[in-house]
């Protein structure tokens, strides 16, 4: 097994939003009444993370506190509470595996084991080529398509098993487009019994219609 990379990093001394991102920041702040601008803290953390190669330095949290006129500790509290915010550098693909009960019952343990074996790292570690960081998170809100992985906070890969998740990893490593959503071919969250409404859409997309078998 390859040795997992110990990620060493330094906190940058300064952080400023790019002019383009500053427009986005202003857009979010403007959504809230005067005196309530702190409500923009979550999208601002997300913008900072995307600007800074998928992690949020302390200087960014301080800059957000300054822009929102709120105590730094309150920004830190939000950033440290949610697993979607990374407070240290991650691999190019940060894969967050849901292992909460519905995903676990659907086989997330086997999906995690297959990935750990394929990549040669354990949960919480980064591959030596810095391509993947894998971590464990609580419910990602896509339980009906369990097991689920979230990539870099945006892309969801669903209906995973120990076989199709390897194709996801290999596709990402090769820089190929990896389909988001279900990896067993079902339409969004269509139940195993097949479509019971919107049957015309299900038929067009090759999905099963209840009582009629696979179309
Ligand atoms: S339990 Fe895994 S997405 Fe909800």
């Amino acid at each position: 097994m390859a040795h997992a990379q110990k990620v060493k990093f330094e906190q940058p001394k300064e952080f400023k939003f790019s002019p383009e991102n500053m427009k986005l920041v202003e857009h979010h702040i403007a959504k809230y009444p005067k005196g309530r601008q702190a409500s923009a803290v979550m999208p601002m953390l997300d913008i900072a993370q995307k600007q800074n190669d998928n992690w949020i330095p302390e200087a960014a949290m301080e800059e957000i506190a300054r822009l929102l006129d709120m105590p730094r500790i309150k920004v830190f509290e939000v950033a440290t509470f949610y697993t979607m915010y990374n407070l240290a550098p991650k691999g190019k693909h940060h894969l967050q595996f849901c292992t909460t009960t519905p995903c676990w019952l659907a086989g997330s343990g086997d999906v995690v084991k297959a990935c750990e074996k394929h990549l040669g790292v354990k949960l919480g570690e980064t591959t030596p080529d810095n391509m993947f960081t894998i971590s464990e998170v609580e419910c990602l809100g896509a339980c009906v398509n369990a097991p689920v992985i979230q990539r870099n906070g945006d892309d969801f890969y669903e209906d995973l098993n120990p076989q199709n998740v390897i194709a996801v990893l290999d596709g990402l490593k090769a820089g190929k487009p990896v389909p988001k959503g279900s990896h067993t071919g079902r339409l969004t969250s269509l139940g195993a019994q097949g479509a019971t409404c919107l049957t015309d859409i299900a038929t067009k997309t090759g999905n099963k219609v209840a009582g009629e078998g696979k179309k």
Side-chain angles (χ1 to χ4, degrees):
M1 179 180 282
H3 289 293
Q5 184 186 352
K6 299 275 181 220
V7 180
K8 291 185 185 148
F9 68 101
E10 285 182 15
Q11 291 284 349
K13 291 196 169 44
E14 281 191 1
F15 177 91
K16 291 283 173 211
F17 284 105
S18 66
E20 195 180 47
N21 281 341
M22 200 58 210
K23 283 188 198 149
L24 270 177
V25 164
E26 285 163 1
H27 165 77
H28 285 292
I29 292 174
K31 289 180 185 170
Y32 302 101
K34 203 168 164 43
R36 304 281 179 189
Q37 64 272 35
S39 297
V41 67
M42 291 188 71
M44 286 174 71
L45 285 165
D46 184 56
I47 295 166
Q49 179 160 283
K50 287 191 165 76
Q51 178 175 311
N52 193 60
D53 203 17
N54 203 24
W55 72 284
I56 305 169
E58 289 174 13
M61 291 188 266
E62 287 171 11
E63 175 66 356
I64 290 169
R66 187 186 71 78
L67 289 167
L68 294 179
D69 193 21
M70 64 191 285
R72 285 187 311 164
I73 187 64
K74 287 199 173 280
V75 180
F76 279 59
E77 282 170 359
V78 175
T80 53
F81 180 80
Y82 294 100
T83 51
M84 64 193 174
Y85 299 128
N86 303 319
L87 304 183
K90 302 294 175 192
K92 180 177 178 188
H93 303 290
H94 181 205
L95 302 181
Q96 295 183 299
F97 293 73
C98 172
T99 55
T100 304
T101 312
C103 279
W104 177 67
L105 287 170
S108 64
D110 291 335
V111 171
V112 169
K113 271 190 214 150
C115 290
E116 287 181 330
K117 187 170 174 207
H118 193 67
L119 297 176
V121 291
K122 297 279 183 200
L123 287 174
E125 296 179 341
T126 299
T127 55
D129 60 1
N130 207 37
M131 188 63 77
F132 294 98
T133 299
I134 58 172
S135 54
E136 181 176 32
V137 292
E138 298 299 331
C139 181
L140 289 167
C143 324
V144 286
N145 286 13
V148 174
I149 293 177
Q150 184 182 39
R151 185 189 76 89
N152 291 355
D154 286 327
D155 299 342
F156 275 47
Y157 307 124
E158 303 162 356
D159 290 333
L160 298 174
N161 59 46
Q163 290 75 44
N164 65 18
V165 76
I166 301 303
V168 170
L169 298 179
D170 289 347
L172 290 173
K173 186 162 185 178
K176 292 182 183 162
V178 175
K180 298 170 202 168
S182 173
H183 277 252
T184 54
R186 67 170 160 155
L187 178 66
T188 60
S189 302
L190 183 63
Q193 80 280 17
T196 55
C197 62
L198 301 175
T199 51
D200 54 332
I201 296 174
T203 302
K204 268 190 220 155
T205 52
N207 276 272
K208 197 166 85 173
V209 174
E212 292 182 11
K214 189 87 177 167
K215 294 281 168 178

